[in-house]
């Protein structure tokens, strides 16, 4: 199972929507061995294609070095399919090179529906897994406004002058 | 002195789990031949039967992609660091990937013919 923070999922989906109809791609790094994705890194799709994605080789080297230095690993590798379902294609399966990663697919074919699925891809074998989206604890730095009739769990991230 | 080679997770089955191995050679071709004597099978994962670097494997010498350094002919010196990473790529359909592979194969054939 993949457990991932709601804010990271939101950032991935908005990256995918922004790059639509081209495919978007990126990584969510996390502490090595933790299986916990914590740091979202959107990557350029060097192929700039509606049906193909590829990390720029130099950008990939920089990120992989950085993860090494921070004792992180690519916990999630994500990309979008912009006209088809969020299921790995034959290309995805044959090119999957990180056996420890969760391969997250986002489909942007429906503008109003979030379609997110996650897979392990090892030696050409695809195994779908559940995705548990975790709502982070209330951010202590956020401005909280408890207005009449609202629950105190409501968090206002805008610094309004109300 | 030797050349340090960083091995990605997916290829560590050839290095007994080692993340970094050492080798020697004046070019990338020589280095891979040297590594294959101790880590049999590694070279075949990086080089095609036609003798070209696989399209979806990235090899770097220090901070440079070897595709900009002459690919397998890239010159090496003692103390260099070589990093191998599987390319991160894929996509909804095979067309673009097939086209990329075909153009690479054509370029390889053209290079071989020269």
């Amino acid at each position: 199972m993949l457990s991932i923070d709601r804010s990271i999922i939101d950032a991935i989906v908005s990256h995918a929507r922004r790059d639509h109809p081209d495919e978007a791609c990126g990584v969510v790094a996390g502490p090595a061995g933790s299986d916990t994705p914590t740091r979202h890194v959107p990557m350029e799709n060097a192929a700039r294609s509606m049906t193909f994605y590829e990390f720029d080789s130099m950008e990939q080297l920089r990120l992989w070095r950085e993860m090494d230095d921070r004792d992180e690993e690519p916990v999630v590798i994500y990309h979008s399919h912009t006209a088809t379902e969020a299921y790995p294609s034959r290309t995805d399966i044959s090119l999957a090179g990180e056996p420890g990663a969760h391969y997250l697919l986002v489909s942007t074919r429906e503008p109003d529906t979030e379609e997110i699925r996650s897979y392990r891809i090892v030696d050409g074998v695809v195994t779908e897994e559940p995705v548990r989206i975790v709502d982070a604890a209330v951010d202590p730095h956020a401005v909280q406004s408890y207005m009449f009739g609202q629950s105190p769990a409501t968090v206002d991230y805008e610094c309004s002058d109300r | 002195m030797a050349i340090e080679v960083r091995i990605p997770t997916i290829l560590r089955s050839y290095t007994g789990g080692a993340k970094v191995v050492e080798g020697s050679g004046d070019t990338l071709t020589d280095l891979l031949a040297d590594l294959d004597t101790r880590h049999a099978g590694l070279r075949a994962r990086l080089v095609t039967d036609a003798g070209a670097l696989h399209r979806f494997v990235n090899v770097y010498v220090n901070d440079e992609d070897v595709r900009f350094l002459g690919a397998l002919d890239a010159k090496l010196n003692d103390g260099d660091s070589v990093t191998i990473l599987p390319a991160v790529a894929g996509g909804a359909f095979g067309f673009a990937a097939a086209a990329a592979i075909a153009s690479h194969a054509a370029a390889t054939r053209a290079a071989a013919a020269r």
Side-chain angles (χ1 to χ4, degrees):
Chain A
M1 180 173 72
L2 170 65
S3 287
I4 186 165
D5 216 83
R6 165 47 68 188
S7 61
I8 297 174
I9 287 290
D10 288 349
I12 290 172
V13 170
S14 56
H15 177 204
R17 296 263 186 236
R18 203 162 58 235
D19 286 8
H20 183 91
D22 283 351
E23 292 194 4
C25 55
V27 167
V28 190
S34 71
D35 202 31
T36 304
T38 54
R39 189 165 69 92
H40 174 218
V41 186
M43 300 288 276
E44 285 289 322
N45 177 1
R48 292 183 195 286
S49 160
M50 295 190 283
T51 55
F52 189 63
Y53 80 96
E54 184 172 20
F55 286 6
D56 173 77
S57 71
M58 295 311 294
E59 194 183 13
Q60 186 189 352
L61 177 67
R62 281 192 296 275
L63 176 59
W64 258 244
R65 287 242 171 101
E66 186 181 280
M67 288 191 292
D68 233 24
D69 292 344
R70 297 167 64 127
D71 202 20
E72 290 177 331
E73 56 192 11
V75 179
V76 171
I77 293 175
Y78 72 88
H79 75 281
S80 62
H81 285 176
T82 57
T84 53
E85 67 173 331
Y87 191 85
S89 65
R90 265 185 295 178
T91 316
D92 293 333
I93 297 164
S94 65
L95 297 181
E98 291 288 347
H102 300 268
Y103 282 89
L104 189 79
L105 273 89
V106 178
S107 174
T108 54
R109 60 181 166 172
E110 299 287 346
D112 303 318
T113 313
E114 208 173 78
E115 190 183 336
I116 298 157
R117 293 165 74 180
S118 182
Y119 308 86
R120 295 288 192 170
I121 308 177
V122 181
D123 292 335
V125 178
V126 178
T127 312
E128 185 162 9
E129 59 182 1
V131 179
R132 186 165 68 98
I133 298 180
V134 183
D135 276 302
V138 172
D139 182 349
H141 301 297
V143 177
Q144 298 185 26
S145 57
Y146 306 142
M147 291 195 294
F148 182 74
Q150 281 188 339
S151 107
T154 304
V155 178
D156 184 353
Y157 286 94
E158 299 291 329
C159 288
S160 62
D161 53 8
R162 269 192 305 233
Chain B
M1 287 285 277
I3 295 158
E4 173 195 86
V5 185
R6 305 187 75 84
I7 306 291
T9 311
I10 198 164
L11 297 179
R12 288 181 200 157
S13 53
Y14 298 98
T15 60
K19 205 172 161 178
V20 179
V21 297
E22 287 198 340
S24 60
D26 292 335
T27 63
L28 186 57
T29 298
D30 295 346
L31 173 70
L32 295 180
D34 174 57
L35 290 178
D36 214 59
T37 61
R38 292 181 302 284
H39 311 291
L42 182 63
R43 185 180 177 280
R45 294 293 299 270
L46 307 175
V47 178
T48 63
D49 292 341
L53 200 58
H54 267 295
R55 165 72 175 82
F56 293 106
V57 171
N58 295 333
V59 181
Y60 309 86
V61 176
N62 302 323
D63 292 325
E64 196 65 65
D65 187 326
V66 294
R67 291 193 176 84
F68 304 118
L69 299 174
L72 288 168
D73 298 329
K75 294 274 181 289
L76 300 175
N77 294 299
D78 276 353
D80 278 345
S81 173
V82 171
T83 303
I84 302 167
L85 290 180
V88 180
F93 299 111
F95 306 132
I101 292 164
S103 71
H104 177 67
T108 306
R109 277 196 301 276
R114 274 202 299 272

